[in-house]
């Protein structure tokens, strides 16, 4: 009966209609709130983690290296008690060697200076490689708090792997210049060594998505002004003054098909066709000069020329029509939307925009200056300022 007492008390409900089952909240163990060996194991696991020298790091890496085992214990001391000054000195040394390297002269690397720089580069690569291996042994490779779990460590890993690939290709006498350009990323390792710089760079990267609306507005400005430029000036910057089709030259005279200035590529003579209302016509071509002598004679005086007179062949360039070339080696024109965007980009940087405006005014109309002034004002108001583009 003594054994039945507690059992009867448990079976008796203090309040009829209510269940006496209790479940522990936020319990994911699956035992329905029952305490026992599971709680003891969890408690012992927590105590074991708290008893580790570095509780925030992985207890075991590479399946058997614990935090107390060697060489991981040595690597943990180096990682948790770093020497940032040594790393910064190596990074500064790398910047100096990169600045002293001369690609055109050091292709064969036969000079003493190049060999010294090459030895320094080998030392810098070895330092970064050993640093990566030490961190991998101390932290592990894959995981949330392991080596590759940090973004900046991934950058270091990429730089070291690219350096290994470069050395392997050199041993096989294979030229792979694209891999050598990865060297320029080595100074970025300084960001991971200076906490304040890392915070600033991270903040800058976090603000990039916020610039989406600004970029969208700039694209809208580019698109609208590009369409207007194509509709108004497509092909006009090719206008040149040609000789008439039925004009025949003497066999001893060699002239260009169209009038060309001394600096034809950057400052061509762009004329206005009769249907346009531009500011420059073929009749505005300057008089021809030969050996400092101004030519004043016409075609009919060809056989009567002397040492003090010459024929002004420029007066016969009277046919303004579209040619084959645009200014600045064909880069500046409004023939399609792509080239129009290039011209607009140069205008909003305020670098050489006056020349483009003069080309358009000469070929089309004087009032085209309104387009360029409005473009500069709108681009400044939309935030696409010359300072943002890095142009003084």
């Amino acid at each position: 009966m003594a054994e039945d007492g507690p059992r009867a008390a448990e079976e008796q409900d203090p309040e009829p209609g209510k269940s006496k089952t209790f479940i522990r909240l936020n319990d994911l163990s699956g035992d329905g709130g029952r305490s026992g060996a599971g709680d003891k194991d969890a408690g012992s696991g927590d105590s074991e983690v708290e008893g580790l020298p570095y509780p925030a790091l992985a207890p075991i890496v590479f399946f058997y290296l614990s935090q107390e085992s060697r060489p991981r214990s040595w690597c943990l001391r180096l990682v948790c008690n770093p020497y940032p000054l040594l790393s910064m000195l190596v990074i500064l040394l790398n910047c100096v060697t990169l600045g002293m390297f001369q690609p055109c002269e050091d292709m064969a690397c036969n000079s003493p200076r190049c060999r010294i720089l090459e030895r320094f580069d080998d030392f810098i690569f070895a330092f970064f490689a050993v640093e990566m291996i030490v961190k991998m042994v101390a932290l592990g490779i894959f995981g949330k708090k392991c080596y590759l779990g940090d973004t900046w460590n991934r950058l270091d890993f990429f730089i070291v792997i690219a350096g290994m690939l470069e050395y392997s290709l050199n041993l096989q006498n294979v030229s792979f210049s694209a891999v050598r350009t990865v060297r320029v990323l080595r100074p970025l390792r300084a960001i991971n060594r200076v906490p304040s710089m890392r915070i600033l760079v991270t903040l800058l990267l976090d603000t990039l998505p916020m610039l989406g609306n600004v970029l969208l507005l700039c694209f809208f400005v580019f698109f609208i002004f590009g369409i207007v430029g194509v509709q108004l000036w497509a092909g006009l910057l090719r206008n040149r003054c040609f000789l008439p089709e039925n004009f025949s030259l003497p066999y001893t005279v060699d002239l260009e098909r169209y009038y060309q200035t001394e600096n034809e590529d950057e400052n061509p003579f762009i004329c206005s066709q009769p249907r346009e209302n531009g500011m420059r016509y073929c009749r505005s071509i300057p008089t021809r000069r030969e050996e400092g002598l101004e030519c004043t004679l016409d075609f009919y005086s060809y056989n009567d020329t002397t040492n003090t007179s010459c024929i002004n062949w420029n007066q016969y360039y009277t046919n303004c029509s579209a040619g084959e070339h645009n200014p600045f080696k064909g880069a500046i024109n409004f023939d399609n939307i792509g080239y129009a965007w290039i011209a607009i980009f140069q205008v909003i940087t305020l670098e050489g925009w006056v020349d483009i405006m003069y080309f358009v005014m000469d070929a089309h109309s004087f009032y085209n200056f309104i387009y360029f002034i409005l473009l500069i004002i709108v681009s400044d108001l939309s935030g696409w300022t010359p300072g943002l583009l890095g142009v003084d």
Side-chain angles (χ1 to χ4, degrees):
M1 296 297 293
E3 296 177 357
D4 294 339
R7 185 178 303 172
E10 291 175 2
E11 294 176 354
Q12 183 178 2
D13 295 332
E15 296 182 10
K18 293 186 177 180
S19 175
K20 195 181 176 183
T21 303
F22 297 93
I23 300 177
R24 184 181 300 173
L25 298 178
N26 299 328
D27 185 12
L28 303 179
S29 61
D31 59 354
R34 296 187 298 271
S35 62
D39 294 341
K40 294 180 180 179
D41 295 341
S44 61
D46 295 338
S47 61
E48 290 178 359
V49 173
E50 293 176 356
L52 294 175
Y54 306 96
L57 303 179
I60 297 177
V61 298
F62 297 108
F63 301 104
Y64 69 93
L65 289 179
S66 63
Q67 294 187 2
E68 292 85 0
S69 62
R70 299 175 181 176
R72 191 189 177 196
S73 59
W74 299 339
C75 297
L76 283 172
R77 292 194 191 100
L78 292 175
V79 172
C80 297
N81 300 284
Y83 299 93
L85 182 59
L86 178 61
S87 299
M88 289 299 299
L89 289 177
V90 175
I91 293 173
L92 291 176
L93 177 62
N94 184 36
C95 295
V96 173
T97 56
L98 289 176
M100 295 179 63
F101 182 72
Q102 299 178 2
C104 298
E105 300 179 2
D106 299 335
M107 293 298 294
C109 198
N110 296 323
S111 62
R113 180 187 56 81
C114 180
R115 292 177 181 176
I116 294 174
L117 292 177
E118 192 174 29
R119 298 296 177 268
F120 275 115
D121 188 73
D122 296 340
F123 165 74
I124 294 169
F125 170 76
F127 179 85
F128 290 153
V130 170
E131 182 187 32
M132 182 189 71
I133 294 174
V134 169
K135 287 186 176 181
M136 284 184 174
V137 174
L139 306 177
I141 299 178
F142 300 102
K144 183 177 181 181
K145 295 184 179 180
C146 295
Y147 180 76
L148 294 181
D150 184 76
T151 304
W152 297 106
N153 287 338
R154 295 194 200 107
L155 176 63
D156 297 346
F157 176 78
F158 172 74
I159 295 174
V160 173
I161 294 300
M164 292 180 180
L165 182 60
E166 177 186 347
Y167 280 97
S168 63
L169 293 176
N170 287 337
L171 293 177
Q172 299 177 6
N173 295 325
V174 178
S175 178
F176 197 31
S177 58
V179 179
R180 299 176 64 89
T181 58
V182 182
R183 293 180 178 181
V184 301
L185 297 179
R186 289 180 181 175
L188 294 179
R189 299 170 67 99
I191 299 175
N192 200 18
R193 305 303 187 276
V194 182
S196 59
M197 186 185 299
R198 183 174 181 176
I199 293 174
L200 291 176
V201 173
T202 304
L203 181 61
L204 178 62
L205 295 177
D206 291 340
T207 57
L208 289 180
M210 303 178 185
L211 298 177
N213 294 331
V214 178
L215 295 178
L216 182 61
L217 178 60
C218 293
F219 174 77
F220 179 77
V221 172
F222 270 55
F223 194 77
I224 295 300
F225 280 88
I227 291 177
V228 173
V230 171
Q231 295 297 321
L232 291 177
W233 310 312
L236 292 186
L237 299 189
R238 299 173 182 262
N239 288 351
R240 300 293 187 274
C241 293
F242 289 83
L243 294 172
E245 296 181 359
N246 56 356
F247 186 77
S248 59
L249 289 172
Y251 293 105
T252 57
V253 178
D254 185 18
L255 296 178
E256 299 291 342
R257 296 175 51 249
Y258 60 90
Y259 173 72
Q260 298 184 11
T261 61
E262 295 181 357
N263 189 9
E264 176 64 21
D265 183 58
E266 298 182 2
N267 188 25
F269 190 94
I270 300 177
C271 59
S272 177
Q273 298 184 11
R275 65 176 181 270
E276 307 295 346
N277 191 24
M279 299 182 60
R280 179 179 284 184
Y281 295 91
C282 293
R283 62 176 178 266
S284 303
I285 295 178
T287 305
R288 183 183 180 91
R289 301 183 69 90
E290 294 182 359
E291 299 179 356
L293 180 64
E294 184 176 353
C295 301
T296 57
L297 301 180
D298 55 9
F299 173 77
Y300 301 102
S301 303
Y302 177 73
N303 296 324
D304 299 333
T305 57
T306 62
N307 294 332
T308 59
S309 62
C310 55
I311 297 176
N312 181 22
W313 296 107
N314 291 349
Q315 62 182 322
Y316 298 105
Y317 289 106
T318 58
N319 181 20
C320 182
S321 58
E324 300 177 355
H325 304 288
N326 284 300
F328 294 97
K329 300 186 183 300
I332 301 301
N333 62 80
F334 292 88
D335 294 349
N336 55 58
I337 191 67
Y339 280 110
W341 285 348
I342 295 176
I344 291 172
F345 183 82
Q346 183 171 347
V347 170
I348 65 176
T349 59
L350 303 180
E351 186 71 22
W353 70 277
V354 177
D355 296 332
I356 301 176
M357 182 181 68
Y358 286 163
F359 292 157
V360 174
M361 293 170 61
D362 291 340
H364 187 258
S365 175
F366 167 78
Y367 296 100
N368 290 333
F369 75 90
I370 300 175
Y371 172 92
F372 294 92
I373 300 299
L374 187 62
L375 173 60
I376 293 175
I377 294 176
V378 172
S379 62
D380 288 344
L381 293 178
S382 62
W384 198 275
T385 58
L388 181 63
L389 298 171
V391 178
D392 296 333

